Amino acid sequence: MREKIKKRRIRLGLLGASAITLLLSGCGPQYMVLDPVGPVGKEELHLILLSVILTAIVIIPVLGLLVFIVWRYRDKPGNRAPYLPKWSESRVLEVVWWGIPIVIVGILGYFTGKTTFALVRPPENNIPPITVDVTSLDWKWLFQYPGQKIATVNYAVIPTGVPINFVLTSDAPMNSFWVPQLGGQEYTMPGMAMRLWLQANQAGTFYGHGANFTGRGFAHMNFNVIAKPADQFYGWVRSVKATSSPLTYAVYDQLKKPSVIGTTQYSSIPPNLFNGTVWADGGRYMPGMLPAQSMSTMKQSSSH
């Protein structure tokens, strides 16, 4: 008898250790979605945790009942567990197993909708944002800074504590722009300009990647977003202007060709290059995003 109790305790101990290892494996900083550094990422993490808690209300009791029933009514000599099911309707049970999921879906839907609509606005309203036009190419990312009139490839630098208005399009197959520690992903599509607000509240280098398969060079479509204090950011802008070559239409045509390259930067950008790219494939913008330039100007730049 003592030997059976000892074996049972060992099995329970191993089961508990396995469960703790599994549950704590998501707490490390290497799981970037769970280690946000900005208000958008933190808001999305709160939504993830709420979803986990609400679904656990159903999943944990169901799994617990499954284990209990399998153990209690297992086919074993001498098992005298009564098996007396009642097949008639039980209104109490019907209310329980229909009512709880309906309440959970209602709560989850309310907070998901509230968060989704909140994230289409700037994280901070009292700080002037910076716009970065992002174009996904085969197989690289082009970042244009229309306010600073510079551009980079496969990396972006942003100031900390400032909302960044990422305007996204594609001049290649459809892709998805994702910086896990800053916030959720947004698609880049030819002929369309999408918007994604992100913000980093601490300095650092944050990994980004294309999250939509786009061919044999897809694995190389990664980039870094480097967040610096504002004075260092503007110092970096001055450095790029002073030491880099300009981005011309001829250089852009070379970038468009399928290839894998490293990082580079440009001291200037052609006027309306980004919007011309959008208009070249249809020119569709999200509400409130259509730039002030006339349609004819953008169409003209799209046919460079």
Side-chain angles (χ1 to χ4, degrees):
M1 186 65 181
R2 289 182 178 178
E3 188 65 24
K4 289 184 178 180
I5 294 175
K6 183 178 179 180
K7 290 182 178 179
R8 182 180 298 174
R9 287 177 177 175
I10 292 174
R11 286 197 294 268
L12 290 174
L14 292 174
L15 182 63
S18 301
I20 292 173
T21 302
L22 178 65
L23 293 174
L24 294 182
S25 63
C27 296
Q30 68 271 28
Y31 296 90
M32 293 177 282
V33 173
L34 304 181
D35 185 31
V37 296
V40 176
K42 289 181 179 178
E43 195 69 25
E44 292 172 348
L45 177 60
H46 294 159
L47 192 59
I48 292 173
L49 295 177
L50 176 65
S51 303
V52 170
I53 293 172
L54 291 177
T55 52
I57 292 174
V58 174
I59 292 174
I60 292 178
V62 169
L63 292 179
L65 283 173
L66 174 65
V67 173
F68 171 76
I69 291 172
V70 169
W71 177 82
R72 183 71 175 88
Y73 297 101
R74 66 192 186 282
D75 185 11
K76 181 181 179 181
N79 187 352
R80 298 181 179 180
Y83 181 66
L84 301 171
K86 294 182 179 179
W87 300 104
S88 60
E89 176 187 4
S90 173
R91 292 189 177 181
V92 174
L93 291 178
E94 292 283 350
V95 169
V96 170
W97 61 52
W98 282 106
I100 293 177
I102 289 174
V103 171
I104 289 175
V105 170
I107 295 174
L108 194 56
Y110 169 77
F111 284 102
T112 300
K114 181 182 177 183
T115 301
T116 301
F117 283 103
L119 295 183
V120 299
R121 297 188 292 270
E124 304 278 354
N125 291 321
N126 54 350
I127 301 176
I130 285 181
T131 296
V132 180
D133 294 333
V134 183
T135 306
S136 63
L137 303 169
D138 268 340
W139 293 278
K140 56 195 82 72
W141 293 91
L142 174 64
F143 299 90
Q144 299 180 63
Y145 295 72
Q148 291 69 35
K149 301 188 185 309
I150 61 172
T152 62
V153 173
N154 288 338
Y155 82 100
V157 179
I158 61 173
T160 54
V162 176
I164 308 298
N165 176 25
F166 286 102
V167 183
L168 311 165
T169 192
S170 176
D171 205 3
M174 177 179 170
N175 211 310
S176 185
F177 178 83
W178 189 25
V179 188
Q181 284 187 272
L182 298 186
Q185 59 182 297
E186 184 66 83
Y187 284 111
T188 65
M189 291 175 280
M192 295 189 68
M194 308 295 289
R195 170 179 282 164
L196 178 65
W197 287 100
L198 296 177
Q199 180 175 321
N201 281 348
Q202 68 183 60
T205 299
F206 308 112
Y207 176 79
H209 197 93
N212 200 64
F213 182 71
T214 56
R216 61 183 173 85
F218 162 74
H220 301 282
M221 287 201 68
N222 52 10
F223 58 92
N224 285 325
V225 175
I226 304 168
K228 298 181 176 183
D231 58 336
Q232 295 183 23
F233 168 75
Y234 288 105
W236 169 78
V237 172
R238 290 190 294 273
S239 173
V240 171
K241 284 180 172 293
T243 62
S244 305
S245 58
L247 174 62
T248 62
Y249 283 116
V251 173
Y252 181 73
D253 288 339
Q254 290 296 319
L255 285 175
K256 286 173 57 177
K257 296 178 180 178
S259 64
V260 176
I261 65 174
T263 60
T264 188
Q265 56 280 322
Y266 301 98
S267 61
S268 64
I269 54 178
N272 291 323
L273 173 60
F274 180 82
N275 290 314
T277 302
V278 176
W279 276 93
D281 285 311
R284 302 185 66 180
Y285 289 76
M286 292 177 68
M289 289 181 61
L290 190 64
Q293 294 95 331
S294 67
M295 185 181 302
S296 59
T297 301
M298 288 184 285
K299 285 184 175 180
Q300 185 178 5
S301 61
S302 69
S303 59
H304 70 274

